[in-house]
Amino acid sequence: MPRLTIDFVSDVVCPWCVIGLRGLEIAVDRIDDLDVDIRLHPFELNPAMGREGQDVAEHIHEKYGATAEQSAATRETIRQRGADVGMTMASGPGGRIYNSFDCHRLLTWAAEQGQALALKHALFAAYFTDRRDISDPDVLVEVVRATGLDGERARAILASDDYAAQVRTEEQRWRSEGVTSVPTIIIEERYVISGGQPPEAFERALRQIAQEVAARRATAS
């Protein structure tokens, strides 16, 4: 099978992004001989979120008009979908949503070392499983160190504007290309899959796309 490039546009505080990334990775593992390059890209759902964050239920009500009952039902759906792909998602009331800009700066740095996926998963676990404040520099440095990256370099990045311009440029690029929600998955720069799809859906799509790409490359050669 051909090697596929997959651009995964997502936010650290988006539960469907966790579900989508795990579903994608499971699907890739199920397909023999499929080689992929997953490239992570930043997208902030709430770029104006303040340092103190906001209660999740309150935020969802203000942004989407969801009632407390609807929010509870959605949390349970997310908890189950997360469990289906091996991710423990805290589902009770009391969770908060935080500004994720610094996470994206650190992910941009980690990508230079080939460690973006590892850090992304660690940040997802810190936020969704452990309900930690992933806008807190001390928390971020701890997560970075647990991933095996340089904590002191991470702290220096957080105390500076390093990678800020890159993140903003990347975010603007995807918005200009029509991305309005996440996760958005672009395969070979032409096939688009949206949302936290289950592994089965990703597997079907990847098999079909791989066949089309192989046929196109064979014709071109």
Side-chain angles (χ1 to χ4, degrees):
M1 285 190 174
R3 178 178 177 83
L4 300 179
T5 297
I6 302 176
D7 292 297
F8 194 92
V9 186
S10 63
D11 196 359
V12 177
V13 295
C14 162
W16 297 108
C17 295
V18 188
I19 293 164
L21 182 57
R22 288 294 300 125
L24 174 63
E25 291 173 323
I26 291 169
V28 169
D29 288 341
R30 288 178 178 175
I31 305 174
D32 292 338
D33 301 324
L34 180 62
D35 187 18
V36 303
D37 177 21
I38 299 176
R39 305 185 298 198
L40 302 179
H41 302 281
F43 190 98
E44 291 175 87
L45 289 170
N46 306 287
M49 180 64 65
R51 173 65 185 82
E52 71 284 356
Q54 186 180 18
D55 177 82
V56 170
E58 177 184 284
H59 176 76
I60 296 300
H61 174 70
E62 289 182 3
K63 192 169 185 177
Y64 304 108
T67 66
E69 292 76 15
Q70 289 170 329
S71 291
T74 299
R75 285 198 302 271
E76 176 56 25
T77 297
I78 288 169
R79 186 200 67 76
Q80 184 57 60
R81 288 289 306 279
D84 290 344
V85 293
M87 182 70 184
T88 300
M89 313 279 279
S91 61
R96 297 186 72 78
I97 193 162
Y98 297 102
N99 187 291
S100 59
F101 185 68
D102 282 343
C103 291
H104 291 300
R105 291 204 292 143
L106 291 176
L107 286 163
T108 303
W109 162 65
E112 295 178 348
Q113 303 164 74
Q115 295 297 315
L117 272 172
L119 182 57
K120 185 81 160 186
H121 282 298
L123 289 169
F124 277 149
Y127 180 62
F128 287 107
T129 303
D130 302 330
R131 281 189 167 175
R132 304 192 72 183
D133 178 355
I134 46 81
S135 68
D136 183 329
D138 289 335
V139 170
L140 290 174
V141 169
E142 184 178 332
V143 173
V144 162
R145 284 178 172 151
T147 310
L149 293 166
D150 185 343
E152 291 311 307
R153 176 60 182 133
R155 191 177 295 281
I157 291 170
L158 294 171
S160 71
D161 289 328
D162 288 359
Y163 299 98
Q166 290 96 315
V167 170
R168 293 191 178 101
T169 298
E170 272 272 290
E171 290 179 332
Q172 181 55 42
R173 170 199 169 188
W174 292 110
R175 290 184 187 278
S176 69
E177 293 188 10
V179 174
T180 59
S181 63
V182 288
T184 294
I185 302 98
I186 304 99
I187 303 173
E188 288 295 300
E189 300 184 344
R190 64 186 297 172
Y191 304 91
V192 179
I193 301 173
S194 299
Q197 303 295 332
E200 294 74 21
F202 278 121
E203 184 179 356
R204 286 193 299 271
L206 288 171
R207 288 185 184 278
Q208 180 177 345
I209 291 168
Q211 291 176 355
E212 292 179 11
V213 170
R216 189 167 65 248
R217 290 176 182 171
T219 300
S221 61

